[in-house]
Amino acid sequence: MGRYRVRVATGNSAFSGSNNQVQLWLVGLRAEVELGLRLRPARGQMEDFEVDVSEDLGPLQFVKLRKIHLLIKDAWFCNHITVWVFEQSMEEKEIVFPCYRWVEGDGIICLPETTAWMIRNESQGLFQKHQEEELKARRTLYGWVSWKKGIPLSVAAASEKDLPLDARFHEEKKVDFERTRVVGVTEIALKRLYTLLSSWNSLEDFDQIFWGGKSALAKRVRLSWKDDDFFGYQFLNGVNPTLLRKSSSLPTRLVIPPGTEDLKAQLERKLQEGCLFEVDFSLLAGIQANVIQGERQHLAAPLLMLKMEPDGKLLPMVIQLQLPGSDSPVPPLFLPSDPSLTWLLAKAWVKNSDFQLHELQAHLLKTHLMAEVFAVATMRCLPGMHPIFKLLIPHLRYTLEINTRARTKLISNGGFFDQAVNTGGGGHLDVLRRATTCLTYRSLCPPDDLADRGLLGVPSAFYAHDAVRLWDIISRYVQGIVQLHYLEDEVVRSDPELQAWCREITEIGLCKAQERGFPVSFQSRDELCHFVTMCIFTCTAQHSAVNQGQLDWYTWVPNAPCTMRQPPPTTKDVTLEMVMATMPNVHQACIQMTISWHLGRFQPDMVPLGHHKEQYFSGPGPQAVLNRFQEDLYTLEREIVARNESLDLPYEYLKPSRIENSITI
Ligand SMILES: CCCCC/C=C\C[C@@H](/C=C/C=C\CCCCCCC(=O)O)OO
Ligand SMILES: [Fe+2]
């Protein structure tokens, strides 16, 4: 018996309130009581009321709530319920029941109090029963589907409308997203009209559709894209810093034609000096090129060799556009000393190939589709009271919807890839399949990946430096939360939901990825922390590193052409007509610019890394860990700002304030 003050907190997004009435119960260890209230929750409001309860409820474990609709069903977004208990001769005690979900229909929802997971073993199985019922319902809502064979599984939803309400964009996000789509489609139409009667026979003609440049760096790209150091820089710190690797030997595919022995000597010297680097696009070899509006597009599978200069500049040394084969046993090598248009076209072929692997492998597969697997497995295996659910859920916001939209608008039949990309028309799916077969656990963990690629400690590798710093900061955050809940390794080993989650990701979502180093169980807190750090890094920092740069590096189309309309050159006499006949046409270029802006622009409702408002945990321990996380991020922010001040090209994509807390675009 005692007096209780109850606070009902409603979400702040549009339509979060409800005209339906809400009924509440308090459930204690010894009894439960219906509070007899009928409140209509209002958007953004916290509504308090007090009740005297005659029964001895015992320690509160759940709040139960039900929305009652007479005529119209009106979903309610409940943030949380907080209860203060005033009992005789005891000081007031605050108990929080997090929700952060839509309450639909008229079923009863059970909210466990935030520390429930810690006391679940002593509480007569009440929590166990709740967890089982919750997961049973979640497994119905969140199903797996194989969208295309050979790539990670996805959520079972033909379009975003089929997703559960809790996985949908909130109103503000949806309105902004749809508005941007309309703006983009309108811009394409206007540019088509504007260029109908104009010439398209010089590289400067791309200016006709480059309206003002969507960013300062995009304007710089337009001015400097032809420069070799600017070209090389992008493989270190551009929109795709994931392919560059330090050479440990001359690649076997690099067949040196007779008469170019001095090139071989230069390469070997750079190799000995430890400053030879390479980017190999062999993954594209043999991929079927797209046919766009009846016009066959073309693909290459380049190898690019670069040298790291003492001043940190990365300069291209040689480009081989095709793998040696029966029809071309010694493919021509293109050099900086070639005629300027020839060398420019060879570099353009490299950047077109980089566009394919960036968007399909680095961006879509290694961030979006990985995050989707984490999201579906989390919803299917971890109950809301589980500490790893609470740790991860803020980093999974909106990902299922943005990925579902990508499947219906970008990589679908008739989508962006089919309309304007030379791997479109099905080749893009083969690239995804090939990339999936070489998707290792190590490649998703920067300390391992960058060590394997020889990029640790390279002074001008700013992505590499910032990625390792962020990894360490996120790792400390994850360890802080894990150590509060798993006091020894045995607790990890004996957590059935956690082990099921691990298996669901590796064996189901990633289709038996244990062969590629992914774990099928966690034997220690360290193993758990490493994996969860990878999850959060992938959903935040890594996506930021490969998404934001689309706006800066892809809106000046010649710098990263989305398609190539003529075969790669096989001789050195390249004309401007050949270059313009190869580059994307006006329509394709307009589509590329619009999509790059749509995906790379700053999201108005973005939540910066570590600054989500939802409080899934409570008590001083988790709050102290989160506070330390935010402090570490702010320290890194200041470090990056200071470093960037001395750079001609600041590297901004891993500034914590620019990293979104989840993949939402
Ligand atoms: C530029 C190619 C991107 C390839 C896919 C990589 C990552 C997925 C992407 C998500 C996009 C999701 C939806 C975009 C839909 C835009 C459609 C606009 C035009 C239209 O409506 O037809 O990550 O950002
Ligand atoms: Fe993205």
Side-chain angles (χ1 to χ4, degrees), residues 359 363-364 367-368 402-403 543-544 546-548 550 599-600 663-665:
E359 291 294 8
H363 186 195
L364 179 61
T367 65
H368 280 261
I402 196 62
N403 284 12
H543 180 257
S544 177
V546 299
N547 187 80
Q548 288 187 49
Q550 294 172 110
L599 304 186
I663 296 178
T664 74
I665 187 67

Side-chain angles (χ1 to χ4, degrees), residues 377-559:
T378 298
M379 299 312 286
R380 291 174 58 85
C381 299
L382 297 181
M385 56 193 260
H386 196 289
I388 303 302
F389 177 91
K390 294 179 179 193
L391 181 57
L392 279 178
I393 194 71
H395 304 295
L396 303 173
R397 179 179 183 247
Y398 292 162
T399 299
L400 295 183
E401 172 146 359
I402 196 62
N403 284 12
T404 303
R405 286 177 179 263
R407 276 187 289 274
T408 55
K409 289 289 181 186
L410 291 185
I411 55 175
S412 56
N413 290 334
F416 166 65
F417 268 77
D418 285 3
Q419 293 172 36
V421 182
N422 45 345
T423 51
H428 62 301
L429 301 175
D430 291 331
V431 172
L432 273 173
R433 291 183 185 104
R434 289 184 182 181
T436 301
T437 60
C438 49
L439 174 56
T440 62
Y441 182 27
R442 284 182 69 87
S443 73
L444 299 171
C445 305
D448 303 323
D449 174 54
L450 293 163
D452 293 347
R453 293 197 287 130
L455 288 172
L456 292 176
V458 174
S460 54
F462 307 120
Y463 158 79
H465 172 271
D466 296 355
V468 169
R469 286 280 286 113
L470 276 160
W471 174 274
D472 291 343
I473 289 169
I474 294 170
S475 179
R476 179 189 289 133
Y477 169 55
V478 170
Q479 288 176 44
I481 295 293
V482 166
Q483 281 158 14
L484 286 173
H485 295 86
Y486 292 90
L487 303 183
E488 53 189 13
D489 293 344
E490 177 50 35
V491 184
V492 169
R493 287 193 288 268
S494 58
D495 180 342
E497 287 90 10
L498 185 68
Q499 299 298 339
W501 177 71
C502 179
R503 285 194 305 277
E504 186 104 351
I505 288 172
T506 297
E507 294 184 339
I508 299 175
L510 296 179
C511 310
K512 301 203 178 312
Q514 54 266 49
E515 297 132 23
R516 285 179 273 120
F518 287 87
V520 290
S521 69
F522 300 122
Q523 295 307 305
S524 68
R525 287 173 296 173
D526 284 352
E527 287 182 9
L528 170 60
C529 288
H530 195 84
F531 190 84
V532 173
T533 300
M534 178 278 293
C535 293
I536 296 177
F537 184 90
T538 297
C539 295
T540 60
Q542 187 61 18
H543 180 257
S544 177
V546 299
N547 187 80
Q548 288 187 49
Q550 294 172 110
L551 182 67
D552 298 323
W553 300 98
Y554 284 1
T555 48
W556 179 250
V557 171
N559 182 60

